[in-house]
Amino acid sequence: MNINANWLAAPVVIPLLFAASSLLMATRVNLRQMRIQRNLALIASVLNLGVALLLLYTTVIQDQRMVLHAGLWQAPFGITLVADGLSAIMLTLTAVLMVTIVLYAIGTLDQREGLNFHPLLLFLLMGVNGAFLAGDLFNLYVFFEVLLMASFVLLSLGGRPGQVNGGMRYVVLNLLASTVFLTTAGVVYGTLGTLNLAHLAVRMEAAPLTLRIIVAGMLLIAYGSKAGLFPLFFWLPASYHTPHPAVTAIFGGLLTKVGIYALFRIFPLIFPDLLRDWQPLLLGIAALTMLAGVFGAMAVNTIRRVLSFHIISQVGYMVMGLGLAASGNQLAIGFGLAAGIFYIMHHMIVKTALLMAGGAAELTMGTGQLKEGYLGGLVKRFPLLAAIFFLAAFSLAGIPPSSGFVSKLGLLQAALDSQQWMIAAVSLLVSLLTLMSMVRLWQKGFAGKQYKAVLPTPRRPIYGITIAPIMILVVISLGMGIFSDTFIKWSQVAADQVIDRAGYIQAVAPSDLIEPVSLDH
Amino acid sequence: MIALVFAILVAVLMGSATYLLLQRNPVRMVIGLGLFTHAVNLLVFSTSVSHRGQPPIVVDKAAFNGDISQFVDPLPQALILTAIVISFGIVAFLIALLHRRNSLEAVESCTDRADDPFAMEPAATLEAVEEDYEWLEDIVLKRELRKPKGRRK
């Protein structure tokens, strides 16, 4: 089966169309309008999932790359959309998360649903999908901004004091990172005369080392700050616990991973030599990110703050995969990268499930406070929610047979195989500390004595529709652990495609008609 | 020569933006961000105006025999057009956020914790927490949700 490349536009166009049409309903806040918006969001996310699975089938199972030259403008001149295994995997995971979050929002969302929550969610989806498909640096920037703009509004939707404060920090730090990104795009265009990734990969080889170091360093800063890498992660714990739990869940699952995706895409393609030379730097950043995240999680005291810090420590594992990508593995070429991709898959699913479950507990109890006297005894009150939280938490900590165990084992194997003892030791230590932190969450929040609810009566009962999406995600996580060979095979295909630079350049086929701008004008 | 002028301009703008961003005052911070985005726009713009050239418009493609290398590159201008729109939108949103922050009653407690990313929740008293969640409850909405299906229209 060979599908038309025009399908590549669908993940961007579908959310855009549905978001725009549901904005037309937003004349005034009433129940009927909310229902229409909700149904439109549900339809759009299911359609998007279908398209993502189609792309996944073509790129991963059939091992192909898909390229769309918009308006038939050849590569360096027009807008290019490219999908390979990594993009398709990310698109599919995003689509799965989006369906579950729309369901979860039906169960948990309050008045904020009337403030155009669903159109914003669809704009976020559009930005994320576009970033995964973008084939040039400037479009990557634009889609980053689309998703950031939607996330700014989602984060501060409601305008509580905490949200406004967290939102300010989030907006300022992300705008700075975007500006660094745009500066890099300007420097690249001014010196190499192109922005297309495949074309850049060709031209960067001949560029002087200083230029390569400047561009790679600035991109590392820009993406690292979006991904929440050490030492640029402070915006994340400052803001992620403030919005509605449904918003936190989708942010925790998606946003930092877009930065990680950009690193996975840019570094092996454009800077293969720097990826090798900077291995100690990348592994150092990875180790410090893991440690900072896990120690931060021990210092804070509400469910969502703890989970936000764990996002940071988990992002460290993914960068560890990238750092190990360049080393000569005996297991398979690019096994480190494949382990990193598998880790992303596991993390997106499990982290969203955890944030959803924690958020549901927080909403019913009226607080997420872990100190003595607030939460406690949730096992007896909501046994099903507690069971799901337990499974997700222990998947995050890496207990077999969950996906967390397999993904951590893969990274550890890759580290030992390339004889990086330090990072292997750090990853084991952080794994242990994560387990401790999860046990603390369990003991303080779910096990133990029941306290009187902080609020006189539970404000938000836990409906079946709140639990169902969390259950879906937990089942996917367990499935990824039990049938891990299939998923590892897929990540290996994706990793091979990422590392195969010649194949990417050939698929996009940039014509080299325009001379690079000379460096001496 | 003109490249040097642009370089100095960009440097001055970025320097002042950094200075403003490091201030505690949020209004100065917003102005700093505005300057910063303008500096970057200028940087992107400078990649196309290094020499005096012709507009890149060809009326009659068949009869054209001029020198393409004299054309000014139009792409950076398209790029900054996009970038200007984006940065304008974000700065406008930031100002709205700032306005909301100033109009909130609890300005004091906001500024106290503004620069501390590790700030804990203040010891939540029952009333405070309840008040925080009061807003989530909309009695009218709940009543409407409870109505039997047939009667809602």
Side-chain angles (χ1 to χ4, degrees):
Chain A
M1 189 183 74
N2 235 332
I3 67 166
N4 194 321
N6 284 334
W7 279 103
L8 282 184
V12 180
V13 173
I14 292 173
L16 178 63
L17 281 183
F18 276 85
S21 54
S22 61
L23 271 183
L24 291 179
M25 318 285 169
T27 44
R28 65 200 173 92
V29 181
N30 63 26
L31 213 64
R32 205 163 139 260
Q33 168 235 317
M34 268 161 52
R35 261 163 229 264
I36 294 172
Q37 285 196 342
R38 178 196 285 173
N39 292 340
L40 282 176
L42 201 56
I43 295 169
S45 54
V46 170
L47 278 181
N48 177 50
L49 179 62
V51 174
L53 286 173
L54 191 66
L55 295 183
L56 185 73
Y57 177 78
T58 318
T59 54
V60 176
I61 313 271
Q62 297 187 330
D63 200 358
Q64 291 174 352
R65 284 191 184 80
M66 296 173 68
V67 181
L68 172 65
H69 299 290
L72 289 183
W73 284 91
Q74 269 305 311
F77 304 113
I79 293 170
T80 316
L81 296 180
V82 189
D84 61 359
L86 179 59
S87 323
I89 286 176
M90 302 298 281
L91 283 175
T92 313
L93 287 170
T94 307
V96 170
L97 293 189
M98 206 44 90
V99 174
T100 54
I101 210 78
V102 172
L103 292 176
Y104 180 77
I106 294 175
T108 55
L109 213 60
D110 44 51
Q111 259 187 309
R112 274 172 264 205
E113 194 170 7
L115 301 171
N116 292 325
F117 172 84
H118 287 112
L120 284 167
L121 206 60
L122 290 180
F123 279 126
L124 183 76
L125 177 65
M126 171 194 159
V128 173
N129 281 349
F132 291 151
L133 288 171
D136 66 83
L137 218 51
F138 192 76
N139 276 305
L140 195 57
Y141 164 76
V142 171
F143 281 118
F144 259 106
E145 292 301 317
V146 171
L147 81 90
L148 280 177
M149 205 65 204
S151 73
F152 293 158
V153 187
L154 276 175
L155 189 82
S156 48
L157 201 62
R160 304 299 305 152
Q163 284 182 303
V164 173
N165 272 327
M168 294 265 303
R169 286 173 237 183
Y170 181 82
V171 174
V172 170
L173 289 172
N174 274 297
L175 181 58
L176 273 179
S178 303
T179 320
V180 172
F181 187 6
L182 186 61
T183 315
T184 323
V187 169
V188 166
Y189 191 76
T191 49
L192 297 176
T194 183
L195 288 169
N196 187 287
L197 293 183
H199 204 190
L200 269 181
V202 177
R203 288 197 170 172
M204 200 56 96
E205 280 172 1
L209 185 65
T210 11
L211 179 69
R212 271 182 295 167
I213 288 179
I214 289 172
V215 172
M218 283 174 73
L219 285 181
L220 187 61
I221 291 172
Y223 298 146
S225 151
K226 308 259 181 208
L229 295 186
F230 183 86
L232 302 165
F233 61 81
F234 284 99
W235 57 271
L236 195 151
S239 58
Y240 267 28
H241 62 282
T242 53
H244 187 272
V247 177
T248 312
I250 196 71
F251 280 16
L254 281 185
L255 294 192
T256 48
K257 264 54 73 182
V258 183
I260 289 288
Y261 164 82
L263 286 175
F264 272 48
R265 167 70 63 218
I266 300 282
F267 270 81
L269 178 65
I270 301 181
F271 308 106
D273 52 335
L274 287 182
L275 189 61
R276 212 164 34 245
D277 296 346
W278 286 7
Q279 194 184 35
L281 174 72
L282 286 173
L283 290 180
I285 291 177
L288 287 171
T289 311
M290 286 183 210
L291 287 172
V294 87
F295 284 130
M298 294 193 156
V300 292
N301 262 327
T302 65
I303 294 183
R304 277 196 283 165
R305 278 172 190 258
V306 171
L307 292 176
S308 305
F309 267 110
H310 276 298
I311 297 175
I312 296 165
S313 83
Q314 311 271 305
V315 159
Y317 280 97
M318 298 166 202
V319 177
M320 171 181 163
L322 181 67
L324 295 171
S327 46
N329 271 310
Q330 280 140 35
L331 293 164
I333 298 165
F335 183 72
L337 198 64
I341 294 172
F342 188 81
Y343 202 93
I344 297 179
M345 293 159 77
H346 144 75
H347 171 85
M348 285 172 83
I349 299 284
V350 168
K351 178 56 76 182
T352 310
L354 267 178
L355 282 168
M356 280 178 178
E362 209 168 297
L363 281 178
T364 37
M365 298 298 288
T367 177
Q369 187 59 256
L370 289 172
K371 282 185 201 144
E372 202 80 357
Y374 292 93
L375 282 176
L378 281 174
V379 177
K380 284 181 199 126
R381 253 184 252 204
F382 309 107
L384 191 58
L385 181 70
I388 291 173
F389 187 88
F390 183 85
L391 287 174
F394 283 75
S395 179
L396 189 79
I399 306 289
S402 60
S403 56
F405 172 70
V406 185
S407 53
K408 280 187 179 152
L409 187 68
L411 280 173
L412 191 65
Q413 270 184 337
L416 293 179
D417 188 44
S418 43
Q419 302 183 332
Q420 300 287 349
W421 312 116
M422 279 302 288
I423 193 79
V426 171
S427 78
L428 279 177
L429 175 70
V430 171
S431 197
L432 185 69
L433 293 175
T434 309
L435 181 61
M436 277 173 63
S437 171
M438 286 299 128
V439 168
R440 184 173 78 112
L441 264 187
W442 178 259
Q443 280 189 333
K444 293 278 168 74
F446 287 81
K449 212 170 109 197
Q450 281 189 35
Y451 296 100
K452 202 169 135 296
V454 176
L455 302 172
T457 49
R459 290 297 166 99
R460 201 72 191 177
I462 296 184
Y463 303 111
I465 195 121
T466 316
I467 298 283
I470 315 176
M471 233 174 203
I472 296 172
L473 292 179
V474 169
V475 167
I476 294 176
S477 160
L478 287 180
M480 273 171 67
I482 293 166
F483 303 104
S484 54
D485 50 344
T486 316
F487 288 93
I488 288 198
K489 208 169 72 201
W490 288 358
S491 351
Q492 185 69 50
V493 171
D496 286 345
Q497 287 184 356
V498 169
I499 287 183
D500 176 22
R501 299 175 60 230
Y504 185 95
I505 295 167
Q506 206 189 353
V508 178
S511 55
D512 213 346
L513 291 175
I514 298 285
E515 288 294 308
V517 182
S518 61
L519 290 170
D520 51 42
H521 60 247
Chain B
M1 188 58 212
I2 189 89
L4 187 67
V5 174
F6 269 104
I8 291 171
L9 255 175
V10 170
V12 168
L13 276 176
M14 278 204 177
S16 2
T18 314
Y19 175 75
L20 285 172
L21 272 171
L22 293 174
Q23 308 278 305
R24 271 190 67 94
N25 186 343
V27 177
R28 290 186 176 210
M29 203 175 65
V30 173
I31 297 174
L33 276 175
L35 282 185
F36 206 86
T37 53
H38 278 89
V40 177
N41 290 341
L42 206 58
L43 180 98
V44 177
F45 185 65
S46 70
T47 60
S48 80
V49 291
S50 55
H51 57 89
R52 190 176 286 271
Q54 290 158 1
I57 299 167
V58 176
V59 182
D60 188 2
K61 211 167 150 191
F64 178 74
N65 56 3
D67 186 6
I68 308 180
S69 65
Q70 288 303 310
F71 279 174
V72 172
D73 189 356
L75 188 71
Q77 297 168 29
L79 298 186
I80 56 170
L81 202 58
T82 317
I84 287 171
V85 173
I86 290 171
S87 60
F88 173 74
I90 294 180
V91 169
F93 180 72
L94 203 56
I95 291 171
L97 215 56
L98 201 64
H99 177 70
R100 168 77 188 167
R101 178 192 145 115
N102 290 343
S103 65
L104 278 173
E105 286 184 351
V107 187
E108 306 274 308
S109 65
C110 286
T111 44
D112 279 351
R113 290 161 52 202
D115 52 352
D116 180 11
F118 291 94
M120 301 291 155
E121 293 288 336
T125 58
L126 281 182
E127 296 81 46
V129 173
E130 189 162 8
E131 197 180 298
D132 210 34
Y133 278 79
E134 197 82 57
W135 173 84
L136 301 184
E137 185 144 18
D138 188 281
I139 298 160
V140 184
L141 191 70
K142 263 198 171 161
R143 210 177 294 145
E144 261 205 273
L145 278 169
R146 279 206 206 97
K147 266 188 208 163
K149 230 181 172 161
R151 270 167 41 203
R152 203 185 306 119
K153 251 280 159 317

